[in-house]
Amino acid sequence: MLIKMVPKLLLVLLVAAMAAMAASPPKPVDVPFPKNYVPTWATDHIKYINGGNEVQLSLDKWTGTGFQSKGTYLFGHFSMQIKMVPGDSAGTVTAFYLSSQNAEHDEIDFEFLGNRSGQPYILQTNVFSGGKGNREQRIYLWFDPTKDYHAYSVLWNMHQIIFFVDDVPIRVFKNSRDLGVRYPFNQPMKIYSSLWNADDWATRGGLEKTDWSKAPFVASYRGFHVDGCEASVAESTCATQGRRWWDQKAFDDLDGMQWRKLKGVRDRYTIYNYCADKVRSPAMPPECTRDRDI
């Protein structure tokens, strides 16, 4: 009997070991805004609170505003806690994204699309690689993002890009260069955030316009976590490649629990997925199967 149990025990241990190979990113470290970021435009529309530990961006009929990271990064973990514009925010977009600086640019996007009061916020994500985008996915958030701060994070390494809402993975974009899909791996990116008017497309395809009587619209930020390999725009490799925590085997893929959480978000909250858009792409893009989008 004991001999028969040994193979089962070994199997259990093997499964446990395989599950332990993947891991969640370390908890983000909160720092003041000036440590990692600087304003980029309309500086009079940025308000600093508690010594810069919290920042508010405001949008009125004249201008929005934004900020960017001091450094430029090639891979890492980047997180921002944001409290979205409350009330009637239709037409507004709050963006948090990474972008490189050349014509065939790479970009990793969170865009939060404002809504009419009482309707859910829409979170749109996108990935550009070598100047090619058109990889939009949209979900409803399962909470009211205007009531409290929530963390929106990107983990980017040579193997995958993961979008997180709090600790929940909502999207993964795997390195599919072997399938002929370009992947962001050699263009350092800055981190940006902005609040701006996009009522030509943001809410119901532009049917809902910004109600300027509700201005100013205010989005609040804190956390400002940056843990990346700093590299100049001219560099195409990370000097510490292979030695940072996100380079380790545990971060090559999601673990079983993370895949289940991701599937739960896709099943319950997805409202648009480019992989399923046969009008735009009659042949499904090759990365979609690897990313388990379909």
Side-chain angles (χ1 to χ4, degrees):
M1 183 70 175
L2 181 59
I3 294 175
K4 291 181 179 180
M5 291 176 59
V6 170
K8 293 183 180 180
L9 178 60
L10 289 175
L11 179 60
V12 170
L13 292 174
L14 178 60
V15 170
M18 291 175 65
M21 288 176 65
S24 297
K27 183 178 179 180
V29 178
D30 295 346
V31 297
F33 173 87
K35 179 175 176 60
N36 291 324
Y37 289 95
V38 293
T40 50
W41 50 291
T43 58
D44 60 335
H45 282 54
I46 300 179
K47 181 179 181 181
Y48 302 90
I49 300 171
N50 189 23
N53 284 294
E54 182 179 350
V55 166
Q56 292 181 339
L57 306 189
S58 65
L59 165 69
D60 56 34
K61 65 188 303 182
W62 292 279
T63 186
T65 188
F67 58 86
Q68 69 179 41
S69 61
K70 294 178 178 179
T72 308
Y73 302 93
L74 192 58
F75 306 127
H77 183 229
F78 313 98
S79 183
M80 189 74 68
Q81 296 177 43
I82 310 175
K83 184 161 49 175
M84 300 299 161
V85 175
D88 187 344
S89 58
T92 70
V93 173
T94 305
F96 172 52
Y97 62 103
L98 291 82
S99 182
S100 63
Q101 308 301 307
N102 50 17
E104 294 189 352
H105 79 294
D106 296 335
E107 188 169 314
I108 303 168
D109 294 339
F110 280 103
E111 291 181 307
F112 302 88
L113 311 184
N115 62 351
R116 288 290 178 221
S117 297
Q119 298 175 347
Y121 252 82
I122 291 173
L123 168 55
Q124 175 173 285
T125 59
N126 202 355
V127 177
F128 286 75
S129 52
K132 181 186 183 302
N134 295 327
R135 298 188 178 102
E136 296 93 345
Q137 293 184 4
R138 290 185 174 188
I139 65 170
Y140 286 131
L141 292 171
W142 53 93
F143 53 84
D144 184 344
T146 73
K147 296 297 185 184
D148 205 349
Y149 284 99
H150 290 269
Y152 305 95
S153 310
V154 170
L155 173 61
W156 169 36
N157 63 23
M158 185 63 83
H159 302 279
Q160 61 183 351
I161 297 166
I162 311 173
F163 296 77
F164 289 94
V165 174
D166 294 323
D167 294 324
V168 178
I170 63 158
R171 181 176 185 176
V172 63
F173 184 79
K174 306 290 283 187
N175 186 338
S176 297
R177 293 170 62 202
D178 59 315
L179 302 178
V181 180
R182 295 182 70 170
Y183 182 81
F185 78 100
N186 63 353
Q187 298 189 68
M189 298 195 241
K190 281 189 176 292
I191 312 158
Y192 299 88
S193 192
S194 58
L195 174 60
W196 52 292
N197 178 46
D199 67 2
D200 57 331
W201 67 270
T203 307
R204 294 185 59 214
L207 295 177
E208 302 281 359
K209 299 300 183 183
T210 305
D211 182 354
W212 293 113
S213 71
K214 303 293 196 301
F217 303 97
V218 177
S220 302
Y221 294 74
R222 70 185 188 191
F224 309 110
H225 171 79
V226 173
D227 184 8
C229 177
E230 195 159 356
S232 72
V233 173
E235 293 178 286
S236 60
T237 59
C238 171
T240 58
Q241 181 67 33
R243 302 198 300 272
R244 307 296 287 266
W245 62 262
W246 56 79
D247 297 319
Q248 306 312 306
K249 184 68 176 176
F251 299 95
D252 286 2
D253 197 3
L254 300 178
D255 64 24
M257 179 62 74
Q258 289 171 328
W259 277 116
R260 286 192 291 275
K261 288 181 178 180
L262 176 55
K263 185 178 186 302
V265 170
R266 287 173 174 163
D267 291 347
R268 295 181 181 91
Y269 303 110
T270 295
I271 56 176
Y272 176 79
N273 182 353
Y274 78 104
C275 291
D277 190 339
K278 296 187 181 300
V279 174
R280 178 187 282 185
S281 302
M284 188 172 65
E287 69 272 14
C288 294
T289 300
R290 180 167 290 171
D291 297 343
R292 305 190 196 179
D293 283 316
I294 297 297

mmCIF file of all heavy atoms in Angstrom, residues 41-74:
data_model
loop_
_atom_site.group_PDB
_atom_site.id
_atom_site.type_symbol
_atom_site.label_atom_id
_atom_site.label_comp_id
_atom_site.label_asym_id
_atom_site.label_seq_id
_atom_site.Cartn_x
_atom_site.Cartn_y
_atom_site.Cartn_z
ATOM 1 N N TRP A 41 2.996 69.089 -19.118
ATOM 2 C CA TRP A 41 2.255 70.208 -19.717
ATOM 3 C C TRP A 41 1.148 70.664 -18.769
ATOM 4 O O TRP A 41 0.714 69.919 -17.901
ATOM 5 C CB TRP A 41 1.670 69.835 -21.081
ATOM 6 C CG TRP A 41 0.893 68.546 -21.139
ATOM 7 C CD1 TRP A 41 1.389 67.277 -21.023
ATOM 8 C CD2 TRP A 41 -0.509 68.392 -21.324
ATOM 9 N NE1 TRP A 41 0.389 66.352 -21.139
ATOM 10 C CE2 TRP A 41 -0.790 66.994 -21.342
ATOM 11 C CE3 TRP A 41 -1.572 69.283 -21.516
ATOM 12 C CZ2 TRP A 41 -2.069 66.478 -21.511
ATOM 13 C CZ3 TRP A 41 -2.849 68.768 -21.699
ATOM 14 C CH2 TRP A 41 -3.097 67.389 -21.688
ATOM 15 N N ALA A 42 0.757 71.927 -18.933
ATOM 16 C CA ALA A 42 -0.288 72.539 -18.100
ATOM 17 C C ALA A 42 -0.017 72.287 -16.617
ATOM 18 O O ALA A 42 -0.845 71.726 -15.903
ATOM 19 C CB ALA A 42 -1.667 72.028 -18.506
ATOM 20 N N THR A 43 1.136 72.733 -16.177
ATOM 21 C CA THR A 43 1.551 72.463 -14.797
ATOM 22 C C THR A 43 0.625 73.106 -13.773
ATOM 23 O O THR A 43 0.564 72.646 -12.633
ATOM 24 C CB THR A 43 2.988 72.959 -14.572
ATOM 25 O OG1 THR A 43 3.061 74.366 -14.863
ATOM 26 C CG2 THR A 43 3.970 72.221 -15.474
ATOM 27 N N ASP A 44 -0.107 74.142 -14.164
ATOM 28 C CA ASP A 44 -1.046 74.771 -13.239
ATOM 29 C C ASP A 44 -2.298 73.929 -13.018
ATOM 30 O O ASP A 44 -3.131 74.256 -12.178
ATOM 31 C CB ASP A 44 -1.444 76.169 -13.736
ATOM 32 C CG ASP A 44 -2.114 76.139 -15.093
ATOM 33 O OD1 ASP A 44 -1.888 75.192 -15.866
ATOM 34 O OD2 ASP A 44 -2.876 77.082 -15.392
ATOM 35 N N HIS A 45 -2.437 72.823 -13.766
ATOM 36 C CA HIS A 45 -3.564 71.916 -13.589
ATOM 37 C C HIS A 45 -3.166 70.671 -12.795
ATOM 38 O O HIS A 45 -3.893 69.680 -12.785
ATOM 39 C CB HIS A 45 -4.141 71.508 -14.945
ATOM 40 C CG HIS A 45 -5.011 72.566 -15.566
ATOM 41 N ND1 HIS A 45 -4.581 73.861 -15.773
ATOM 42 C CD2 HIS A 45 -6.299 72.534 -16.004
ATOM 43 C CE1 HIS A 45 -5.543 74.565 -16.326
ATOM 44 N NE2 HIS A 45 -6.601 73.786 -16.473
ATOM 45 N N ILE A 46 -1.990 70.724 -12.153
ATOM 46 C CA ILE A 46 -1.539 69.642 -11.280
ATOM 47 C C ILE A 46 -1.462 70.178 -9.856
ATOM 48 O O ILE A 46 -0.815 71.197 -9.597
ATOM 49 C CB ILE A 46 -0.167 69.100 -11.711
ATOM 50 C CG1 ILE A 46 -0.222 68.561 -13.142
ATOM 51 C CG2 ILE A 46 0.298 67.997 -10.762
ATOM 52 C CD1 ILE A 46 1.101 68.025 -13.653
ATOM 53 N N LYS A 47 -2.114 69.503 -8.942
ATOM 54 C CA LYS A 47 -2.138 69.914 -7.534
ATOM 55 C C LYS A 47 -1.406 68.874 -6.695
ATOM 56 O O LYS A 47 -1.671 67.666 -6.809
ATOM 57 C CB LYS A 47 -3.586 70.053 -7.044
ATOM 58 C CG LYS A 47 -3.712 70.507 -5.594
ATOM 59 C CD LYS A 47 -5.172 70.634 -5.186
ATOM 60 C CE LYS A 47 -5.324 71.099 -3.750
ATOM 61 N NZ LYS A 47 -6.764 71.197 -3.356
ATOM 62 N N TYR A 48 -0.487 69.318 -5.854
ATOM 63 C CA TYR A 48 0.305 68.435 -5.002
ATOM 64 C C TYR A 48 -0.267 68.454 -3.588
ATOM 65 O O TYR A 48 -0.500 69.518 -3.018
ATOM 66 C CB TYR A 48 1.764 68.868 -4.987
ATOM 67 C CG TYR A 48 2.395 68.891 -6.366
ATOM 68 C CD1 TYR A 48 2.352 70.034 -7.153
ATOM 69 C CD2 TYR A 48 3.006 67.758 -6.882
ATOM 70 C CE1 TYR A 48 2.908 70.053 -8.420
ATOM 71 C CE2 TYR A 48 3.566 67.760 -8.148
ATOM 72 C CZ TYR A 48 3.513 68.913 -8.913
ATOM 73 O OH TYR A 48 4.049 68.921 -10.170
ATOM 74 N N ILE A 49 -0.446 67.275 -3.020
ATOM 75 C CA ILE A 49 -1.039 67.133 -1.694
ATOM 76 C C ILE A 49 -0.098 66.306 -0.827
ATOM 77 O O ILE A 49 0.527 65.353 -1.308
ATOM 78 C CB ILE A 49 -2.420 66.449 -1.790
ATOM 79 C CG1 ILE A 49 -3.367 67.290 -2.672
ATOM 80 C CG2 ILE A 49 -3.030 66.225 -0.408
ATOM 81 C CD1 ILE A 49 -4.658 66.594 -2.999
ATOM 82 N N ASN A 50 0.017 66.700 0.448
ATOM 83 C CA ASN A 50 0.830 65.945 1.399
ATOM 84 C C ASN A 50 2.257 65.759 0.899
ATOM 85 O O ASN A 50 2.791 64.653 0.857
ATOM 86 C CB ASN A 50 0.167 64.598 1.691
ATOM 87 C CG ASN A 50 0.842 63.847 2.831
ATOM 88 O OD1 ASN A 50 1.513 64.454 3.683
ATOM 89 N ND2 ASN A 50 0.686 62.525 2.850
ATOM 90 N N GLY A 51 2.872 66.880 0.501
ATOM 91 C CA GLY A 51 4.259 66.838 0.069
ATOM 92 C C GLY A 51 4.510 66.064 -1.208
ATOM 93 O O GLY A 51 5.615 65.594 -1.441
ATOM 94 N N GLY A 52 3.473 65.940 -2.042
ATOM 95 C CA GLY A 52 3.627 65.206 -3.291
ATOM 96 C C GLY A 52 3.359 63.728 -3.181
ATOM 97 O O GLY A 52 3.515 62.992 -4.164
ATOM 98 N N ASN A 53 2.929 63.255 -2.013
ATOM 99 C CA ASN A 53 2.551 61.851 -1.886
ATOM 100 C C ASN A 53 1.262 61.547 -2.639
ATOM 101 O O ASN A 53 0.974 60.402 -2.958
ATOM 102 C CB ASN A 53 2.401 61.464 -0.415
ATOM 103 C CG ASN A 53 3.746 61.300 0.259
ATOM 104 O OD1 ASN A 53 4.507 60.396 -0.076
ATOM 105 N ND2 ASN A 53 4.072 62.195 1.186
ATOM 106 N N GLU A 54 0.488 62.597 -2.891
ATOM 107 C CA GLU A 54 -0.721 62.484 -3.700
ATOM 108 C C GLU A 54 -0.731 63.637 -4.693
ATOM 109 O O GLU A 54 -0.296 64.751 -4.376
ATOM 110 C CB GLU A 54 -1.972 62.523 -2.819
ATOM 111 C CG GLU A 54 -3.270 62.361 -3.574
ATOM 112 C CD GLU A 54 -4.490 62.380 -2.651
ATOM 113 O OE1 GLU A 54 -4.301 62.323 -1.424
ATOM 114 O OE2 GLU A 54 -5.624 62.464 -3.162
ATOM 115 N N VAL A 55 -1.205 63.383 -5.897
ATOM 116 C CA VAL A 55 -1.276 64.393 -6.944
ATOM 117 C C VAL A 55 -2.656 64.325 -7.579
ATOM 118 O O VAL A 55 -3.211 63.238 -7.780
ATOM 119 C CB VAL A 55 -0.181 64.154 -8.014
ATOM 120 C CG1 VAL A 55 -0.451 64.969 -9.267
ATOM 121 C CG2 VAL A 55 1.187 64.505 -7.462
ATOM 122 N N GLN A 56 -3.210 65.506 -7.893
ATOM 123 C CA GLN A 56 -4.483 65.567 -8.604
ATOM 124 C C GLN A 56 -4.290 66.256 -9.952
ATOM 125 O O GLN A 56 -3.678 67.325 -10.025
ATOM 126 C CB GLN A 56 -5.525 66.323 -7.775
ATOM 127 C CG GLN A 56 -5.952 65.594 -6.510
ATOM 128 C CD GLN A 56 -7.007 66.342 -5.723
ATOM 129 O OE1 GLN A 56 -7.167 67.557 -5.868
ATOM 130 N NE2 GLN A 56 -7.730 65.632 -4.872
ATOM 131 N N LEU A 57 -4.796 65.620 -11.000
ATOM 132 C CA LEU A 57 -4.821 66.225 -12.329
ATOM 133 C C LEU A 57 -6.224 66.751 -12.595
ATOM 134 O O LEU A 57 -7.208 66.091 -12.251
ATOM 135 C CB LEU A 57 -4.461 65.200 -13.404
ATOM 136 C CG LEU A 57 -3.149 64.421 -13.274
ATOM 137 C CD1 LEU A 57 -2.883 63.636 -14.551
ATOM 138 C CD2 LEU A 57 -1.987 65.339 -12.960
ATOM 139 N N SER A 58 -6.315 67.924 -13.214
ATOM 140 C CA SER A 58 -7.626 68.487 -13.514
ATOM 141 C C SER A 58 -7.750 68.821 -14.994
ATOM 142 O O SER A 58 -6.776 69.198 -15.652
ATOM 143 C CB SER A 58 -7.901 69.728 -12.656
ATOM 144 O OG SER A 58 -7.001 70.769 -12.980
ATOM 145 N N LEU A 59 -8.957 68.667 -15.494
ATOM 146 C CA LEU A 59 -9.299 68.946 -16.885
ATOM 147 C C LEU A 59 -10.437 69.946 -16.917
ATOM 148 O O LEU A 59 -11.461 69.756 -16.246
ATOM 149 C CB LEU A 59 -9.714 67.641 -17.582
ATOM 150 C CG LEU A 59 -10.446 67.755 -18.916
ATOM 151 C CD1 LEU A 59 -9.512 68.285 -20.007
ATOM 152 C CD2 LEU A 59 -11.042 66.407 -19.327
ATOM 153 N N ASP A 60 -10.265 71.028 -17.686
ATOM 154 C CA ASP A 60 -11.358 71.958 -17.937
ATOM 155 C C ASP A 60 -11.482 72.170 -19.439
ATOM 156 O O ASP A 60 -10.810 71.500 -20.225
ATOM 157 C CB ASP A 60 -11.143 73.282 -17.182
ATOM 158 C CG ASP A 60 -9.816 73.951 -17.493
ATOM 159 O OD1 ASP A 60 -9.350 73.845 -18.646
ATOM 160 O OD2 ASP A 60 -9.238 74.593 -16.590
ATOM 161 N N LYS A 61 -12.347 73.075 -19.861
ATOM 162 C CA LYS A 61 -12.608 73.228 -21.296
ATOM 163 C C LYS A 61 -11.421 73.807 -22.045
ATOM 164 O O LYS A 61 -11.381 73.788 -23.280
ATOM 165 C CB LYS A 61 -13.846 74.094 -21.520
ATOM 166 C CG LYS A 61 -13.724 75.518 -21.063
ATOM 167 C CD LYS A 61 -15.057 76.247 -21.131
ATOM 168 C CE LYS A 61 -15.655 76.224 -22.513
ATOM 169 N NZ LYS A 61 -16.924 76.983 -22.585
ATOM 170 N N TRP A 62 -10.402 74.294 -21.327
ATOM 171 C CA TRP A 62 -9.231 74.874 -21.969
ATOM 172 C C TRP A 62 -8.091 73.860 -22.125
ATOM 173 O O TRP A 62 -7.406 73.854 -23.128
ATOM 174 C CB TRP A 62 -8.743 76.094 -21.189
ATOM 175 C CG TRP A 62 -9.709 77.229 -21.274
ATOM 176 C CD1 TRP A 62 -9.861 78.126 -22.296
ATOM 177 C CD2 TRP A 62 -10.704 77.554 -20.307
ATOM 178 N NE1 TRP A 62 -10.882 79.000 -22.025
ATOM 179 C CE2 TRP A 62 -11.422 78.677 -20.801
ATOM 180 C CE3 TRP A 62 -11.073 77.027 -19.070
ATOM 181 C CZ2 TRP A 62 -12.474 79.259 -20.111
ATOM 182 C CZ3 TRP A 62 -12.119 77.604 -18.372
ATOM 183 C CH2 TRP A 62 -12.803 78.710 -18.891
ATOM 184 N N THR A 63 -7.915 73.006 -21.121
ATOM 185 C CA THR A 63 -6.786 72.077 -21.203
ATOM 186 C C THR A 63 -6.914 70.946 -20.194
ATOM 187 O O THR A 63 -7.593 71.078 -19.167
ATOM 188 C CB THR A 63 -5.443 72.808 -20.964
ATOM 189 O OG1 THR A 63 -4.358 71.903 -21.194
ATOM 190 C CG2 THR A 63 -5.344 73.332 -19.544
ATOM 191 N N GLY A 64 -6.237 69.864 -20.503
ATOM 192 C CA GLY A 64 -5.989 68.810 -19.535
ATOM 193 C C GLY A 64 -4.571 68.972 -19.032
ATOM 194 O O GLY A 64 -4.001 70.068 -19.056
ATOM 195 N N THR A 65 -3.965 67.881 -18.578
ATOM 196 C CA THR A 65 -2.590 67.957 -18.084
ATOM 197 C C THR A 65 -1.995 66.553 -18.039
ATOM 198 O O THR A 65 -2.702 65.556 -18.252
ATOM 199 C CB THR A 65 -2.531 68.616 -16.694
ATOM 200 O OG1 THR A 65 -1.171 68.832 -16.322
ATOM 201 C CG2 THR A 65 -3.211 67.753 -15.640
ATOM 202 N N GLY A 66 -0.689 66.483 -17.756
ATOM 203 C CA GLY A 66 -0.058 65.184 -17.699
ATOM 204 C C GLY A 66 1.333 65.237 -17.098
ATOM 205 O O GLY A 66 1.872 66.315 -16.824
ATOM 206 N N PHE A 67 1.920 64.057 -16.903
ATOM 207 C CA PHE A 67 3.281 63.962 -16.372
ATOM 208 C C PHE A 67 3.970 62.753 -16.974
ATOM 209 O O PHE A 67 3.340 61.903 -17.612
ATOM 210 C CB PHE A 67 3.281 63.918 -14.838
ATOM 211 C CG PHE A 67 2.500 62.787 -14.220
ATOM 212 C CD1 PHE A 67 3.073 61.538 -14.026
ATOM 213 C CD2 PHE A 67 1.187 62.981 -13.784
ATOM 214 C CE1 PHE A 67 2.368 60.505 -13.427
ATOM 215 C CE2 PHE A 67 0.476 61.943 -13.181
ATOM 216 C CZ PHE A 67 1.060 60.712 -13.003
ATOM 217 N N GLN A 68 5.288 62.683 -16.792
ATOM 218 C CA GLN A 68 6.083 61.572 -17.316
ATOM 219 C C GLN A 68 7.180 61.209 -16.340
ATOM 220 O O GLN A 68 7.538 61.992 -15.448
ATOM 221 C CB GLN A 68 6.697 61.931 -18.668
ATOM 222 C CG GLN A 68 7.782 62.978 -18.586
ATOM 223 C CD GLN A 68 8.398 63.300 -19.942
ATOM 224 O OE1 GLN A 68 7.703 63.406 -20.950
ATOM 225 N NE2 GLN A 68 9.713 63.475 -19.958
ATOM 226 N N SER A 69 7.735 60.018 -16.530
ATOM 227 C CA SER A 69 8.822 59.563 -15.668
ATOM 228 C C SER A 69 10.105 60.319 -15.982
ATOM 229 O O SER A 69 10.333 60.751 -17.120
ATOM 230 C CB SER A 69 9.050 58.058 -15.839
ATOM 231 O OG SER A 69 9.412 57.750 -17.172
ATOM 232 N N LYS A 70 10.941 60.470 -14.980
ATOM 233 C CA LYS A 70 12.259 61.061 -15.198
ATOM 234 C C LYS A 70 13.137 60.130 -16.022
ATOM 235 O O LYS A 70 13.895 60.566 -16.879
ATOM 236 C CB LYS A 70 12.925 61.353 -13.852
ATOM 237 C CG LYS A 70 12.241 62.431 -13.028
ATOM 238 C CD LYS A 70 12.960 62.619 -11.688
ATOM 239 C CE LYS A 70 12.335 63.725 -10.871
ATOM 240 N NZ LYS A 70 13.003 63.900 -9.556
ATOM 241 N N GLY A 71 13.036 58.841 -15.740
ATOM 242 C CA GLY A 71 13.884 57.861 -16.402
ATOM 243 C C GLY A 71 13.215 57.202 -17.592
ATOM 244 O O GLY A 71 12.004 57.333 -17.822
ATOM 245 N N THR A 72 14.015 56.489 -18.362
ATOM 246 C CA THR A 72 13.561 55.678 -19.484
ATOM 247 C C THR A 72 13.955 54.237 -19.173
ATOM 248 O O THR A 72 15.072 53.981 -18.725
ATOM 249 C CB THR A 72 14.233 56.138 -20.794
ATOM 250 O OG1 THR A 72 14.042 57.542 -20.939
ATOM 251 C CG2 THR A 72 13.640 55.427 -21.987
ATOM 252 N N TYR A 73 13.035 53.288 -19.427
ATOM 253 C CA TYR A 73 13.217 51.947 -18.894
ATOM 254 C C TYR A 73 13.050 50.875 -19.967
ATOM 255 O O TYR A 73 12.250 51.012 -20.892
ATOM 256 C CB TYR A 73 12.212 51.692 -17.764
ATOM 257 C CG TYR A 73 12.340 52.704 -16.652
ATOM 258 C CD1 TYR A 73 11.549 53.856 -16.648
ATOM 259 C CD2 TYR A 73 13.278 52.545 -15.638
ATOM 260 C CE1 TYR A 73 11.680 54.812 -15.643
ATOM 261 C CE2 TYR A 73 13.422 53.494 -14.633
ATOM 262 C CZ TYR A 73 12.626 54.617 -14.649
ATOM 263 O OH TYR A 73 12.772 55.562 -13.664
ATOM 264 N N LEU A 74 13.818 49.802 -19.804
ATOM 265 C CA LEU A 74 13.726 48.624 -20.649
ATOM 266 C C LEU A 74 13.459 47.432 -19.739
ATOM 267 O O LEU A 74 14.386 46.896 -19.121
ATOM 268 C CB LEU A 74 15.020 48.436 -21.443
ATOM 269 C CG LEU A 74 14.992 47.407 -22.583
ATOM 270 C CD1 LEU A 74 13.913 47.764 -23.606
ATOM 271 C CD2 LEU A 74 16.355 47.341 -23.267
#
